[in-house]
Amino acid sequence: MKKRIFITGAAGFIGSNLIRSLLQDDRNIVIGFDNFDAFYSRTEKEKNISEFANDKNFRFYEGDIRNQADLDALDDIDVIVHLAAKAGVRPSIKNPILYQEVNVGGTQNLLEFARRRGIIQFVFASSSSVYGINEHVPWSEEDKLMPISPYASTKLSCEMLGHVYSYIYGIRFLALRFFTVYGPGQRPDLAVHKFFKSIINGQPIPVFGDGSTSRDYTYVGDTVKGIEAAISYESSNFEIINLGNHRTVTLSQLILAIEESCGRKATIDRLPEQPGDVPQTYADIHKAQKLLKYHPSTDLKTGLDNFYSWYLKTQDN
Ligand code: NAD
């Protein structure tokens, strides 16, 4: 029996990596959905999914998660993996209402769609940003949430919406808190992509703060394995699970590692810290290990080298 997996945000960074992996298994049918949001170029997103165009197990719908009619046009679905969102912390401060409408309104629309269609498995892309300025690391799922950006608060609202639909309608809702995901196909606004691009083009890289902020960088291949495990998870009806790497890297260390990967020196343009940016992220991943058999295994050097190869192959510098 084939599993029909519906992926919102399919043309994006994590979505396209997930699709590549799911299509390795002939028992999966992947139904991709995306509105090619203008946050970054449509061309990049079309490139991300072009390799699946001729796969007999892949279908694609262009549509908006806020639009019920776009969802009603879809074929039968067994599982929803909801990755579509207005992403990015800093832009959410400039446009908080739009973030609320797309991320929270869109998620509720999808939950309503799931309820009407009787779809009982819903995997949601949450974010480490919900922990915000909680200083006690590593963060476990039980820890205090102190979000400091509109983006983070939308993710938290969606987790709570998921609880409501899980409780009232029995929809299994799994909120996966991703921690700074990087790798081939990464969004152009994120540090790894931005830094490689600037260094390769001989331009200064913008560094916010003194370089001591740290992130739990997680390779996209590891994140994808966690999502795939959540797609098949059936042991309980509502869970929030960190999908991090449990290893932190400072911004200065990241720049050194990128310099090493591409064999060039960076010129640094030092700028003040940005509102909404948290000083650190660091995941406790015991729960993911236990429930999803999640064991991230890609070290930073390998992950950055994979990004660099992808960049050289696909990007016009
Ligand atoms: P991405 O921007 O590459 O992908 C998101 C996709 O959603 C885009 O292709 C976009 O066009 C689509 N989209 C946006 N609004 C839509 C709408 N109204 N209707 C339909 N599609 C819409 O981002 P990503 O990095 O792949 O992130 C995927 C998910 O993971 C997002 O929910 C993001 O918030 C979350 N997340 C990502 C990271 C990370 O480090 N990349 C970390 C934490 C959480």
Side-chain angles (χ1 to χ4, degrees):
M1 178 80 172
K2 297 238 187 195
K3 194 181 259 185
R4 293 156 301 188
I5 303 163
F6 175 56
I7 303 178
T8 71
F13 161 43
I14 298 172
S16 52
N17 277 285
L18 174 64
I19 294 168
R20 185 174 304 111
S21 180
L22 287 172
L23 289 176
Q24 304 293 314
D25 185 338
D26 195 44
R27 290 168 301 177
N28 293 328
I29 291 181
V30 176
I31 302 141
F33 185 89
D34 204 296
N35 74 341
F36 298 101
D37 179 78
F39 184 57
Y40 64 95
S41 101
R42 181 180 180 115
T43 315
E44 282 305 316
K45 294 177 187 177
E46 283 175 344
K47 244 193 263 176
N48 284 343
I49 51 169
S50 59
E51 70 185 80
F52 315 127
N54 295 324
D55 193 305
K56 67 178 186 340
N57 288 330
F58 181 68
R59 336 211 179 310
F60 182 80
Y61 291 80
E62 183 166 346
D64 193 311
I65 51 168
R66 288 167 293 178
N67 187 347
Q68 210 54 255
D70 289 350
L71 298 174
D72 286 338
L74 297 165
D75 294 338
D76 288 347
I77 287 164
D78 299 309
V79 183
I80 295 176
V81 182
H82 176 31
L83 305 175
K86 292 295 282 183
V89 165
R90 291 173 204 151
S92 77
I93 296 172
K94 290 210 182 81
N95 218 340
I97 306 287
L98 180 62
Y99 272 67
Q100 182 75 13
E101 283 168 5
V102 174
N103 294 3
V104 183
T107 300
Q108 184 141 28
N109 221 18
L110 270 172
L111 283 162
E112 277 295 303
F113 169 72
R115 176 186 67 74
R116 284 201 313 277
R117 287 276 189 102
I119 302 164
I120 55 150
Q121 187 92 0
F122 196 114
V123 179
F124 170 67
S126 189
S127 160
S128 61
S129 63
V130 299
Y131 295 105
I133 47 171
N134 180 337
E135 288 175 2
H136 304 287
V137 290
W139 294 322
S140 91
E141 293 81 353
E142 305 300 315
D143 285 341
K144 191 167 178 191
L145 304 175
M146 306 170 78
I148 58 163
S149 67
Y151 166 76
S153 80
T154 65
K155 291 292 178 183
L156 192 48
S157 302
C158 292
E159 291 183 357
M160 294 300 95
L161 274 175
H163 189 265
V164 172
Y165 279 75
S166 155
Y167 187 80
I168 301 180
Y169 303 112
I171 294 172
R172 180 174 299 112
F173 189 91
L174 304 162
L176 306 177
R177 290 181 179 159
F178 301 158
F179 282 67
T180 321
V181 189
Y182 75 101
Q186 195 199 30
R187 287 190 347 240
D189 62 302
L190 292 173
V192 168
H193 191 140
K194 260 201 318 211
F195 290 178
F196 265 106
K197 184 174 181 177
S198 298
I199 295 174
I200 291 164
N201 291 321
Q203 288 160 353
I205 58 174
V207 174
F208 299 102
D210 64 2
S212 64
T213 55
S214 58
R215 294 286 175 271
D216 195 352
Y217 292 99
T218 312
Y219 186 66
V220 66
D222 290 321
T223 307
V224 160
K225 282 189 194 138
I227 301 171
E228 289 181 312
I231 288 172
S232 308
Y233 178 87
E234 292 183 344
S235 305
S236 51
N237 235 23
F238 176 82
E239 296 292 347
I240 293 175
I241 306 172
N242 288 339
L243 283 191
N245 196 31
H246 192 60
R247 232 177 307 130
T248 61
V249 177
T250 66
L251 193 49
S252 300
Q253 288 168 332
L254 177 74
I255 294 166
L256 282 175
I258 291 177
E259 288 178 334
E260 201 175 299
S261 179
C262 66
R264 300 187 206 193
K265 284 300 280 179
T267 312
I268 292 180
D269 178 15
R270 206 159 293 282
L271 298 165
E273 275 173 24
Q274 297 290 293
D277 282 3
V278 300
Q280 58 179 344
T281 70
Y282 186 3
D284 176 328
I285 56 171
H286 283 101
K287 187 170 179 185
Q289 285 169 336
K290 190 165 158 229
L291 299 189
L292 302 179
K293 310 275 172 283
Y294 167 78
H295 298 285
S297 59
T298 313
D299 61 71
L300 187 67
K301 181 174 174 8
T302 309
L304 291 178
D305 288 349
N306 289 351
F307 175 87
Y308 187 43
S309 310
W310 167 82
Y311 185 90
L312 292 179
K313 257 191 268 154
T314 60
Q315 305 293 294
D316 309 319
N317 297 314

